[in-house]
Amino acid sequence: MTNIKMHVLVCGGTGCTSSRSMEIVDALRAEIKAQGLADEVKVVIAGCFGFCEKGPIVKISPDNTFYVQVTPEDAKEIVAEHIVKGRKVSRLLYVDPKTTEHISDSKHMDFYKKQLRIALRNCGFIDPENIGEYIARDGYMALGKAIFEMSPKQVVDEVKKSGLRGRGGGGFPTGLKWEIAASYKADQKYVICNADEGDPGAFMDRSVLEGDPHSIIEAMAICGYAIGASKGVVYIRAEYPLAVERLQKAIVAARETGLLGNNILGSDFSFDIDMYYGAGAFVCGEETALIRSLQSERGEPTSKPPFPAESGFWGKPSNVNNVETFANIPVILLKGADWFASIGTAKSKGTKVFALAGKVNNVGLVEVPMGTTLREVIFDIGGGIRNGKKFKAAQTGGPSGGCLTEKFLDTPIDFDNLIAAGSMMGSGGMIVLDEDDCMVNVAKFYLGFTVEESCGKCTPCRVGNKRMLEMLEKISAGKATEKDLSRLRELATIIKDTSLCGLGQTAPNPVLSTLDNFYDEYLAHVRDKRCPAGKCKSLMQYVIDPAKCKGCTMCAKVCPAGAIAGKVKEPHVISQEKCVKCGACFATCKFGAISKR
Amino acid sequence: MSGCCDGNVERYKELQTYIDGLPEKKGRLIGVLHKAQGIFGYLPREVQEFIAAALGLPVAKVYGVVKFYSFFTMLPKGKFPISVCLGTACYVRGADDIVAELEKLLGITVGQVTPDGVFSLDTLRCVGACGLAPVMIVAGHVYGRMKPADVAGIIGEYRKKAQASGQEKTCEGVCCHG
């Protein structure tokens, strides 16, 4: 019997720990102890709350007070005022930017109002290292229900009926995948969890693993029961040390509780999970490459068929799902397929987690029902564009996706609509771009990533993408012609059609999508040798406004290239031939006479 | 294996113990490489040869895997390794300017180590702290919302730390026989 009356949850996600949230935990614990409340108040390191922009976050339950941007120095006041005297520390509450009112419960904040949390249901609510707290929130009930009340086929049918589609990027129906894996007979089958989150701008899988590791263990065991597998394998990024540690602890706790291992819950179903580390290869998100990596080979994909469901890990039937997909499974079994299918659009059911980042006010992890519009995500939840700038595009799908422009702001987001709009869902990275972003530069960034990550097995991807990157470099250096633009498009199409795996087939998407939506910007680079956003350094020019120049000679003195000429008290001129674009003059001018063009 | 430093003998012993403890050797190369990099800090040729012999694999196979995965490195890191996140969120908020500033200040390019061994510079893809973009990590400590002007101050602090503790230089390399 415990006397805990109050929980203080401190965000242990990556963003908040980077802002000293672990020091907050220590300070709170010390202060609570000093007040003699250690038996009544428990400080919990919780998973990501999602509102990374306002981190570090501290939440106090049961009254659900949500403190933002807390520092270790605030611990004393939180304990003395809130915990001891029951008075909220209003200076640490979230201030609504529209009404300037203080809001203490997160459910009243615009950031959370339109969210629906299924995959992230426990993140920020429970202590991820305590199996008891997971169980208290109906954890492992779905596994029990599957084993004792359902046949494996019924489980597969329920997942099929729910309409759940793979959240890793492809959007393949999960139930169908399970059904195929279940149909093969073998002495050993494997359930594989892809936790090698590789999209440079997505961190939802990491947050689920860090904030709710048991949901993945439970879902994998359910999948094992459904397809007839007794072994599970998690392929996890070695760069996620906290996720690795928490999952490891969770697996041990599940084994000790009899929820993993032989004869789970006294039934004749046995299942256990092993962890394997990824080593930084984006292509290993492709399931055949992932399986080769699990076997300690170079992670090069193989041609399909055979699909992993027939011949996967060590040649045995294997079912690969991503973390977020698994996180949905226990809820689907508990609340039923019909409930899940009632959320979302006709062909995309449930919710999707997005890592909202870039030039948006509220950076963070958001989970919304499928069918929510881009406008709602960026402007309602995300709070609009930073510094009052103009929205230019949202990039979804990471290096495999494309850009959605203003005309798609009111399109309901789901798998099929995003593809029709020339992008894709991908794993859920959503990077917001504003008027200062150059689209050629964005395409170049993603292509640079793909070129680095191409495994080199097939020629279109290995050589083709490299040639495309060179073309983009030529464009941003102002050395390309209009003919290069048509060549770029032609090459992109060939790479798409002829590459072996998903990485190569989707690598040209950022280029094609920017060509389609921002052709004028490409033209400005090749025709006028100008970068409208002022990002491409070789095309940028520093110019002096003769009306503002006082002829103080400061700029000419700091110019390392001797590119600035002019007489004292007369307007100066920058020679574009000599200018090395170092920006020294720009930083020196006291009269704001020098501008970038 | 060369045993020019006592530390190395211990390190190889630790690796051997780990390999001996594996239930089976099939398909465990990547796990062994992770362990080895954890022990030695990097994976020089000698360590790869040792692993190949211990697992009964051709050295070429070990080298092929090491070169394939970006997490594995054949070069030692600096005393204070610096990584700049080049994930998309950091990139659009100016991470490339941070890299340029670091390269200018340290006089090395990405992937290199300063001649005094104090700093090494790398880039990485998304640490999941997008709310703090752009992000730089020095010796495990995350610095968020970086501006190019902040870089010099942070580097200066670590330089001081390095000087304070730098006198007792020990043999950190895996092999000093050259």
Side-chain angles (χ1 to χ4, degrees):
Chain A
M1 185 70 196
T2 66
N3 296 319
I4 302 291
K5 294 189 179 87
M6 204 178 247
H7 280 91
V8 182
L9 297 112
V10 182
C11 180
T14 315
C16 288
T17 40
S18 306
S19 308
R20 307 200 290 161
S21 73
M22 291 306 111
E23 286 175 48
I24 300 174
V25 171
D26 294 340
L28 283 167
R29 283 190 179 144
E31 199 54 34
I32 287 166
K33 203 175 164 203
Q35 298 275 359
L37 295 168
D39 295 335
E40 292 170 53
V41 182
K42 191 178 165 199
V43 179
V44 174
I45 300 167
C48 180
F49 287 83
F51 205 173
C52 307
E53 186 71 38
K54 296 286 171 196
I57 285 161
V58 173
K59 190 172 126 180
I60 299 184
S61 72
D63 63 12
N64 284 329
T65 307
F66 195 90
Y67 289 125
V68 298
Q69 292 175 318
V70 180
T71 64
E73 292 73 37
D74 297 327
K76 206 170 180 138
E77 190 176 347
I78 292 175
V79 174
E81 283 294 307
H82 190 134
I83 294 174
V84 176
K85 296 180 189 152
R87 292 195 297 233
K88 287 177 184 174
V89 183
S90 61
R91 67 175 181 90
L92 294 174
L93 293 175
Y94 175 72
V95 178
D96 188 311
K98 286 180 203 147
T99 62
T100 68
E101 269 172 37
H102 288 83
I103 302 179
S104 95
D105 192 331
S106 58
K107 69 175 182 241
H108 300 302
M109 296 174 193
D110 283 341
F111 182 77
Y112 288 101
K113 263 185 211 165
K114 289 201 171 171
Q115 291 199 47
L116 175 66
R117 301 199 144 206
I118 298 175
L120 299 176
R121 62 194 175 278
N122 290 328
C123 290
F125 284 93
I126 61 168
D127 176 356
E129 296 188 6
N130 185 340
I131 190 171
E133 295 198 12
Y134 179 68
I135 292 171
R137 281 176 68 96
D138 296 339
Y140 290 105
M141 260 176 72
L143 177 62
K145 183 177 172 184
I147 297 175
F148 297 108
E149 294 170 27
M150 298 169 87
S151 68
K153 188 177 178 306
Q154 279 173 322
V155 176
V156 170
D157 287 343
E158 193 73 4
V159 176
K160 260 176 92 177
K161 209 168 104 190
S162 75
L164 176 67
R165 293 169 67 172
R167 301 293 196 243
F172 190 82
T174 306
L176 188 59
K177 210 174 194 180
W178 288 22
E179 187 173 61
I180 298 168
S183 72
Y184 288 99
K185 300 263 173 293
D187 55 345
Q188 182 66 60
K189 293 185 190 178
Y190 292 97
V191 174
I192 299 172
C193 174
N194 179 358
D196 190 50
E197 198 163 44
D199 175 354
F203 52 100
M204 59 284 295
D205 291 350
R206 169 181 208 159
S207 296
V208 171
L209 291 166
E210 288 178 0
D212 194 17
H214 284 286
S215 67
I216 303 304
I217 296 172
E218 180 178 13
M220 287 178 74
I222 292 170
C223 178
Y225 176 76
I227 70 166
S230 64
K231 281 194 179 158
V233 171
V234 181
Y235 183 72
I236 188 167
R237 259 184 93 167
E239 292 93 328
Y240 284 179
L242 187 63
V244 168
E245 187 194 320
R246 291 209 168 138
L247 189 62
Q248 227 150 20
K249 281 186 186 164
I251 289 172
V252 171
R255 273 188 204 133
E256 285 168 356
T257 321
L259 293 160
L260 276 183
N262 289 329
N263 306 97
I264 291 174
L265 297 166
S267 71
D268 52 13
F269 171 61
S270 302
F271 188 81
D272 210 339
I273 296 176
D274 242 348
M275 280 169 74
Y276 284 71
Y277 301 126
F282 181 63
V283 69
C284 290
E286 204 283 336
E287 51 185 19
T288 60
L290 185 155
I291 286 167
R292 285 183 61 92
S293 181
L294 281 177
Q295 296 170 183
S296 272
E297 312 266 346
R298 288 164 69 92
E300 290 167 356
T302 51
S303 28
K304 296 191 267 192
F307 286 88
E310 182 188 351
S311 172
F313 192 33
W314 299 123
K316 303 292 182 188
S318 307
N319 176 74
V320 187
N321 287 131
N322 122 302
V323 170
E324 192 189 333
T325 313
F326 275 128
N328 282 289
I329 297 290
V331 195
I332 290 174
L333 286 205
L334 276 187
K335 295 196 176 179
D338 292 330
W339 166 81
F340 190 81
S342 71
I343 303 160
T345 62
K347 285 187 177 164
S348 302
K349 301 300 185 190
T351 57
K352 178 75 192 93
V353 184
F354 290 99
L356 187 61
K359 309 285 182 63
V360 67
N361 277 319
N362 299 335
V363 167
L365 211 54
V366 305
E367 181 170 0
V368 289
M370 294 275 189
T372 306
T373 65
L374 207 52
R375 188 185 299 281
E376 289 173 292
V377 174
I378 296 170
F379 290 91
D380 296 345
I381 297 171
I385 311 299
R386 255 165 204 261
N387 305 322
K389 298 263 181 180
K390 200 168 166 283
F391 169 80
K392 185 167 191 177
Q395 209 283 349
T396 65
S400 309
C403 291
L404 301 164
T405 53
E406 212 169 348
K407 66 179 179 212
F408 296 112
L409 273 179
D410 293 306
T411 308
I413 303 170
D414 71 5
F415 287 104
D416 309 294
N417 281 345
L418 286 185
I419 287 174
S423 185
M424 68 184 282
M425 186 73 84
S427 53
M430 186 183 279
I431 309 290
V432 179
L433 305 171
D434 70 13
E435 53 194 303
D436 291 340
D437 289 304
C438 165
M439 301 315 283
V440 178
N441 192 41
V442 169
K444 209 170 73 181
F445 167 77
Y446 282 113
L447 212 61
F449 178 84
T450 323
V451 165
E452 222 171 85
E453 293 296 336
S454 170
C455 77
K457 184 171 178 173
C458 73
T459 318
C461 178
R462 183 186 65 241
V463 182
N465 283 318
K466 180 96 180 138
R467 292 292 92 83
M468 270 211 301
L469 180 61
E470 287 163 2
M471 284 182 186
L472 287 172
E473 278 164 356
K474 214 171 136 190
I475 294 170
S476 65
K479 291 179 184 153
T481 61
E482 273 178 66
K483 212 168 171 193
D484 287 310
L485 295 186
S486 53
R487 281 204 197 110
L488 185 62
R489 187 183 286 278
E490 191 189 339
L491 182 56
T493 317
I494 293 171
I495 296 169
K496 223 172 142 78
D497 291 344
T498 56
S499 290
L500 172 66
C501 82
L503 186 139
Q505 287 158 13
T506 59
N509 283 353
V511 175
L512 285 170
S513 148
T514 46
L515 271 175
D516 285 342
N517 290 305
F518 298 96
Y519 194 70
D520 288 351
E521 216 171 304
Y522 276 89
L523 270 186
H525 282 77
V526 297
R527 212 187 260 165
D528 315 335
K529 312 293 176 203
R530 189 173 63 84
C531 173
K535 272 272 160 175
C536 296
K537 276 215 171 85
S538 357
L539 294 180
M540 193 186 62
Q541 294 187 343
Y542 284 101
V543 285
I544 298 175
D545 180 353
K548 287 186 189 164
C549 179
K550 309 268 186 222
C552 74
T553 76
M554 277 306 289
C555 58
K557 277 184 194 142
V558 297
C559 177
I564 304 180
K567 287 182 184 151
V568 180
K569 294 191 179 167
E570 279 178 29
H572 283 45
V573 182
I574 300 173
S575 157
Q576 298 303 333
E577 282 77 48
K578 288 186 189 165
C579 175
V580 293
K581 284 138 190 162
C582 67
C585 57
F586 180 74
T588 309
C589 181
K590 286 178 192 150
F591 308 102
I594 300 177
S595 61
K596 284 191 242 182
R597 195 170 65 190
Chain B
M1 287 301 108
S2 83
C4 58
C5 324
D6 290 343
N8 264 345
V9 178
E10 287 303 310
R11 286 173 179 152
Y12 280 111
K13 219 192 229 170
E14 189 186 346
L15 184 57
Q16 186 67 54
T17 312
Y18 173 78
I19 294 171
D20 291 342
L22 291 173
E24 51 175 352
K25 294 193 171 55
K26 186 180 148 200
R28 290 287 166 175
L29 173 59
I30 291 181
V32 172
L33 290 173
H34 272 294
K35 182 75 188 174
Q37 188 161 302
I39 296 171
F40 292 96
Y42 69 119
L43 298 168
R45 184 180 169 150
E46 293 78 7
V47 173
Q48 292 183 39
E49 285 169 350
F50 179 87
I51 291 170
L55 293 177
L57 294 169
V59 182
K61 160 115 191 175
V62 176
Y63 177 72
V65 170
V66 168
K67 289 301 275 184
F68 188 85
Y69 295 97
S70 62
F71 190 80
F72 297 133
T73 171
M74 289 179 63
L75 290 171
K77 298 272 174 235
K79 187 176 168 100
F80 299 112
I82 304 174
S83 322
V84 180
C85 179
L86 276 191
T88 324
C90 287
Y91 184 76
V92 301
R93 287 203 196 166
D96 48 342
D97 296 334
I98 307 295
V99 174
E101 185 67 19
L102 280 162
E103 288 183 335
K104 200 174 90 188
L105 276 172
L106 300 173
I108 53 172
T109 55
V110 170
Q112 293 183 327
V113 188
T114 52
D116 59 4
V118 174
F119 296 107
S120 54
L121 180 60
D122 286 291
T123 59
L124 47 79
R125 306 284 188 186
C126 200
V127 293
C130 307
L132 300 173
V135 163
M136 162 174 120
I137 300 157
V138 186
H141 191 96
V142 180
Y143 294 88
R145 299 192 172 103
M146 287 290 298
K147 291 189 195 74
D150 303 335
V151 174
I154 296 170
I155 296 300
E157 273 174 43
Y158 283 95
R159 274 224 174 94
K160 263 186 233 155
K161 266 191 214 173
Q163 272 158 8
S165 68
Q167 310 311 341
E168 31 25 289
K169 204 173 182 193
T170 52
C171 177
E172 285 285 332
V174 169
C175 183
C176 32
H177 68 267

